[in-house]
Amino acid sequence: MDVMKLIFATNNKHKHEEVQKLVGDSIKLATPSDFGITEDIPENQNTLEGNALEKARYIFSKTGVSCFADDTGLEVRALNGEPGVYSARYAGTGKDNNANIELLLENLQGITDRTARFRTVIALIINGKEFLFEGIVAGEILLKKTGEGGFGYDPVFKPDGYEISFAQMSLNEKNDISHRGRAVAKLAEFLHQNEKL
């Protein structure tokens, strides 16, 4: 069986391993650093789709190798979809996850509608053709941080149908329902069905 080779546009080892596990053995994921790209990959767009495409196009333009990139945001209904594309730098550049969570909880003080969703968009470029895949998990923002695991906003996000936060789940449990897991599942299905692209 031929193994398909793709670059996943991230140098985040944890994310790379997680996605490699999700796509299976018939797809081999390389990193940008495997091709000598160690600089920060630009993401200057104001939508998740725009950022994912910008990152994928950057890697493809430098290597000519089929690749994909993802971008993820937490979208809170009462805050008109914020923090959205700015999730990682919500409290300002150079701030950490705790500062982002504190600002989010502050902005939701006194608000009863705490409906939110995590959304991941993956941009795939194969032989110059571009495709987009989306994964969404709906839930709500808790009143305070709960749980020690996960990263980002996981301690304050409770997915629909569960009584615990993402930060209280095992990695396998979270992967089964997560936004990234859902987007990667669509990507993997597409790749397996279109191996001749």
XYZ file of all heavy atoms in Angstrom, residues 24-76:
398
model
N -4.104 8.062 10.774
C -3.746 6.660 10.543
C -2.433 6.475 9.800
O -1.786 7.440 9.386
N -2.064 5.207 9.624
C -0.735 4.864 9.101
C -0.567 5.060 7.596
O 0.555 5.104 7.098
C -0.403 3.397 9.422
C -0.284 3.176 10.927
O -0.038 4.166 11.639
O -0.452 2.023 11.369
N -1.677 5.157 6.853
C -1.537 5.255 5.392
C -1.206 6.680 4.947
O -0.964 6.937 3.776
C -2.810 4.776 4.693
O -3.896 5.610 5.043
N -1.197 7.610 5.914
C -0.805 8.996 5.624
C 0.341 9.372 6.548
O 0.225 9.267 7.766
C -1.993 9.966 5.826
C -3.141 9.602 4.877
C -1.557 11.406 5.601
C -4.461 10.256 5.216
N 1.474 9.757 5.975
C 2.655 10.126 6.770
C 2.750 11.640 6.813
O 2.823 12.299 5.775
C 3.911 9.516 6.129
C 5.215 9.933 6.778
C 5.493 9.110 8.042
C 6.807 9.502 8.683
N 6.683 10.556 9.692
N 2.722 12.190 8.025
C 2.784 13.644 8.185
C 4.206 14.112 8.458
O 4.851 13.630 9.381
C 1.875 14.097 9.336
C 0.381 13.781 9.216
C -0.373 14.377 10.399
C -0.186 14.304 7.902
N 4.658 15.053 7.634
C 5.953 15.701 7.862
C 5.691 17.045 8.547
O 4.558 17.537 8.561
C 6.669 15.914 6.540
N 6.731 17.622 9.117
C 6.601 18.952 9.732
C 7.323 19.973 8.856
O 8.198 19.608 8.063
C 7.240 18.994 11.138
O 8.644 18.773 11.002
C 6.641 17.937 12.047
N 6.990 21.254 8.998
C 7.732 22.279 8.254
C 9.232 22.209 8.535
O 10.050 22.404 7.630
C 7.129 23.592 8.777
C 5.739 23.226 9.188
C 5.856 21.835 9.743
N 9.615 21.892 9.794
C 11.054 21.848 10.117
C 11.776 20.726 9.372
O 12.978 20.807 9.134
C 11.274 21.749 11.630
O 10.609 20.632 12.163
N 11.026 19.663 8.966
C 11.630 18.617 8.123
C 12.116 19.197 6.798
O 12.967 18.610 6.130
C 10.615 17.497 7.819
C 10.224 16.701 9.063
O 11.008 16.686 10.036
O 9.126 16.104 9.063
N 11.546 20.349 6.413
C 11.914 21.012 5.153
C 12.698 22.300 5.419
O 12.777 23.168 4.571
C 10.657 21.312 4.325
C 10.018 20.080 3.751
C 9.195 19.280 4.543
C 10.260 19.677 2.441
C 8.609 18.124 4.031
C 9.685 18.526 1.927
C 8.860 17.749 2.719
N 13.232 22.418 6.640
C 14.067 23.579 6.979
C 13.292 24.842 7.290
O 13.864 25.931 7.364
N 11.956 24.726 7.467
C 11.142 25.903 7.791
C 10.934 25.922 9.305
O 10.159 25.139 9.851
C 9.780 25.863 7.056
C 9.999 25.829 5.542
C 8.910 27.048 7.445
C 8.762 25.486 4.739
N 11.660 26.810 9.974
C 11.572 26.857 11.442
C 10.996 28.186 11.939
O 10.705 28.332 13.118
C 12.968 26.656 12.073
O 13.861 27.597 11.478
C 13.483 25.251 11.830
N 10.807 29.141 11.008
C 10.259 30.443 11.411
C 8.760 30.318 11.708
O 8.122 29.332 11.349
C 10.498 31.497 10.315
C 9.688 31.294 9.029
C 10.381 30.439 7.974
O 11.307 29.677 8.323
O 9.977 30.523 6.812
N 8.225 31.335 12.385
C 6.778 31.353 12.628
C 6.054 31.449 11.298
O 6.424 32.245 10.428
C 6.393 32.558 13.509
C 6.746 32.321 14.968
O 6.956 31.150 15.345
O 6.831 33.306 15.726
N 5.027 30.630 11.135
C 4.247 30.637 9.898
C 3.219 31.762 10.018
O 2.520 31.856 11.019
C 3.561 29.272 9.681
C 4.629 28.171 9.630
C 2.733 29.263 8.411
C 4.096 26.762 9.771
N 3.125 32.653 9.007
C 2.231 33.807 9.141
C 0.761 33.413 9.250
O 0.306 32.474 8.603
C 2.477 34.613 7.849
C 3.109 33.661 6.901
C 3.827 32.638 7.720
N 0.046 34.130 10.118
C -1.417 34.008 10.216
C -1.968 35.383 10.547
O -2.168 35.718 11.701
C -1.838 32.934 11.221
C -1.086 32.898 12.520
C -1.530 31.740 13.425
O -2.706 31.390 13.432
O -0.670 31.200 14.130
N -2.197 36.179 9.494
C -2.574 37.583 9.674
C -3.991 37.890 9.215
O -4.348 39.056 9.029
C -1.594 38.474 8.889
C -0.160 38.223 9.311
O 0.143 38.271 10.492
N 0.721 37.946 8.362
N -4.792 36.861 8.994
C -6.144 37.069 8.475
C -7.151 37.254 9.609
O -6.866 36.959 10.759
C -6.551 35.874 7.593
C -5.559 35.566 6.486
C -5.239 36.769 5.623
O -6.134 37.414 5.093
N -3.960 37.080 5.493
N -8.365 37.744 9.258
C -9.356 37.984 10.320
C -10.448 36.920 10.366
O -11.493 37.130 10.967
C -9.955 39.398 10.200
C -10.607 39.620 8.851
O -10.732 38.687 8.057
N -11.018 40.841 8.577
N -10.201 35.768 9.720
C -11.105 34.617 9.856
C -10.259 33.362 10.047
O -9.079 33.325 9.664
C -11.983 34.411 8.599
O -11.136 34.101 7.487
C -12.838 35.632 8.289
N -10.873 32.318 10.621
C -10.169 31.037 10.773
C -9.821 30.463 9.400
O -8.721 29.945 9.188
C -11.043 30.049 11.550
C -11.440 30.431 12.979
C -12.382 29.383 13.570
C -10.215 30.598 13.864
N -10.776 30.561 8.462
C -10.537 30.064 7.102
C -9.339 30.770 6.474
O -8.477 30.133 5.862
C -11.787 30.287 6.220
C -12.978 29.412 6.559
C -13.823 29.917 7.724
O -13.470 30.937 8.371
O -14.847 29.278 8.023
N -9.305 32.106 6.630
C -8.215 32.897 6.058
C -6.864 32.515 6.631
O -5.882 32.364 5.894
N -6.801 32.342 7.952
C -5.541 31.961 8.606
C -5.071 30.576 8.158
O -3.889 30.360 7.878
C -5.693 31.956 10.126
C -5.356 33.299 10.748
O -4.762 34.157 10.105
N -5.735 33.480 11.986
N -6.000 29.608 8.122
C -5.637 28.245 7.726
C -5.098 28.242 6.292
O -4.068 27.616 6.004
C -6.836 27.310 7.861
N -5.776 28.970 5.404
C -5.320 29.044 4.007
C -3.971 29.752 3.896
O -3.097 29.309 3.152
C -6.359 29.777 3.141
C -7.527 28.924 2.658
C -8.645 29.811 2.109
C -7.087 27.917 1.597
N -3.796 30.851 4.647
C -2.528 31.589 4.600
C -1.363 30.685 5.012
O -0.314 30.665 4.374
C -2.590 32.824 5.509
C -1.306 33.657 5.438
C -1.372 34.935 6.264
O -2.105 34.970 7.273
O -0.676 35.887 5.894
N -1.564 29.902 6.086
C -0.494 29.016 6.560
C -0.194 27.917 5.542
O 0.967 27.632 5.251
C -0.874 28.408 7.924
C -0.886 29.426 9.053
C -1.014 28.770 10.427
C -2.422 28.464 10.809
N -2.558 28.017 12.216
N -1.245 27.309 4.998
C -1.044 26.230 4.014
C -0.366 26.765 2.749
O 0.554 26.135 2.210
C -2.380 25.576 3.670
N -0.816 27.934 2.277
C -0.224 28.525 1.061
C 1.253 28.868 1.278
O 2.072 28.730 0.377
C -1.009 29.784 0.651
C -2.364 29.471 0.042
C -3.209 30.727 -0.078
N -4.514 30.444 -0.668
C -5.557 31.274 -0.597
N -5.450 32.430 0.048
N -6.700 30.944 -1.160
N 1.579 29.336 2.472
C 2.968 29.688 2.798
C 3.864 28.453 2.679
O 4.917 28.487 2.037
C 3.020 30.258 4.220
C 4.387 30.696 4.688
C 4.896 31.946 4.326
C 5.175 29.877 5.499
C 6.146 32.364 4.770
C 6.424 30.290 5.950
C 6.901 31.529 5.573
O 8.145 31.942 6.004
N 3.431 27.332 3.289
C 4.219 26.097 3.242
C 4.295 25.559 1.824
O 5.364 25.138 1.362
C 3.617 25.029 4.195
C 3.696 25.497 5.650
C 4.295 23.679 4.009
C 5.084 25.705 6.214
N 3.171 25.584 1.109
C 3.152 25.057 -0.264
C 4.066 25.886 -1.178
O 4.786 25.343 -2.005
C 1.713 25.038 -0.814
C 1.596 24.334 -2.139
C 1.681 22.944 -2.208
C 1.400 25.041 -3.316
C 1.581 22.276 -3.425
C 1.297 24.381 -4.533
C 1.385 22.997 -4.590
N 4.055 27.220 -0.985
C 4.886 28.091 -1.834
C 6.382 27.851 -1.593
O 7.198 27.998 -2.488
C 4.555 29.570 -1.600
O 5.035 29.981 -0.326
N 6.737 27.464 -0.369
C 8.154 27.233 -0.032
C 8.627 25.836 -0.415
O 9.825 25.632 -0.627
C 8.366 27.425 1.478
C 8.134 28.834 1.947
C 9.261 29.241 2.870
C 9.218 30.708 3.174
N 10.475 31.386 3.020
N 7.704 24.864 -0.452
C 8.130 23.464 -0.641
C 7.587 22.805 -1.905
O 8.192 21.869 -2.425
C 7.660 22.595 0.552
O 6.218 22.576 0.561
C 8.177 23.123 1.876
N 6.422 23.267 -2.379
C 5.767 22.607 -3.514
C 5.190 21.248 -3.143
O 4.766 20.479 -4.010
N 5.165 20.944 -1.840
C 4.677 19.646 -1.360
C 3.250 19.825 -0.830
O 2.949 20.811 -0.154
C 5.593 19.101 -0.232
C 5.051 17.805 0.345
C 7.014 18.895 -0.754
N 2.370 18.871 -1.124
C 0.996 18.928 -0.621
C 1.008 19.057 0.900
O 1.833 18.432 1.573
C 0.225 17.681 -1.044
O 0.061 17.682 -2.450
N 0.103 19.880 1.426
C 0.158 20.189 2.856
C -1.212 20.628 3.364
O -2.128 20.868 2.571
C 1.170 21.304 3.115
S 0.740 22.844 2.275
N -1.322 20.743 4.683
C -2.524 21.316 5.277
C -2.165 22.076 6.540
O -1.114 21.862 7.140
C -3.594 20.240 5.551
C -3.246 19.252 6.624
C -3.641 19.447 7.942
C -2.519 18.107 6.321
C -3.326 18.520 8.928
C -2.207 17.167 7.297
C -2.616 17.376 8.607
N -3.060 22.993 6.904
C -2.883 23.799 8.114
C -4.239 23.939 8.782
O -5.278 23.815 8.130
C -2.331 25.176 7.752
N -4.226 24.188 10.091
C -5.497 24.379 10.786
C -5.476 25.672 11.581
O -4.425 26.224 11.883
C -5.793 23.188 11.703
C -4.919 23.173 12.959
O -3.733 23.558 12.861
O -5.410 22.775 14.026
N -6.670 26.164 11.894
C -6.802 27.279 12.828
C -8.071 27.031 13.631
O -9.056 26.497 13.100
C -6.868 28.625 12.104
C -6.530 29.785 13.040
O -5.816 29.561 14.046
O -6.983 30.915 12.792
N -8.019 27.378 14.893
C -9.119 27.086 15.805
C -9.490 28.322 16.595
O -8.619 29.111 16.963
C -8.717 25.956 16.783
O -8.532 24.754 16.040
C -9.783 25.715 17.837
N -10.785 28.473 16.855
C -11.235 29.573 17.693
C -12.387 29.161 18.581
O -13.135 28.234 18.267
N -12.505 29.837 19.717
C -13.649 29.680 20.614
C -14.605 30.826 20.293
O -14.202 31.990 20.319
C -13.191 29.767 22.074
C -14.304 29.780 23.121
C -15.041 28.433 23.159
C -13.750 30.113 24.498
N -15.838 30.486 19.968
C -16.826 31.504 19.596
C -17.956 31.526 20.629
O -18.653 30.529 20.815
C -17.379 31.201 18.188
C -16.274 31.204 17.140
C -16.692 30.714 15.763
O -17.739 30.035 15.632
O -15.961 31.007 14.803
N -18.094 32.672 21.316
C -19.095 32.815 22.388
C -20.241 33.685 21.882
O -20.024 34.821 21.451
C -18.452 33.444 23.650
C -19.488 33.574 24.768
C -17.263 32.606 24.119
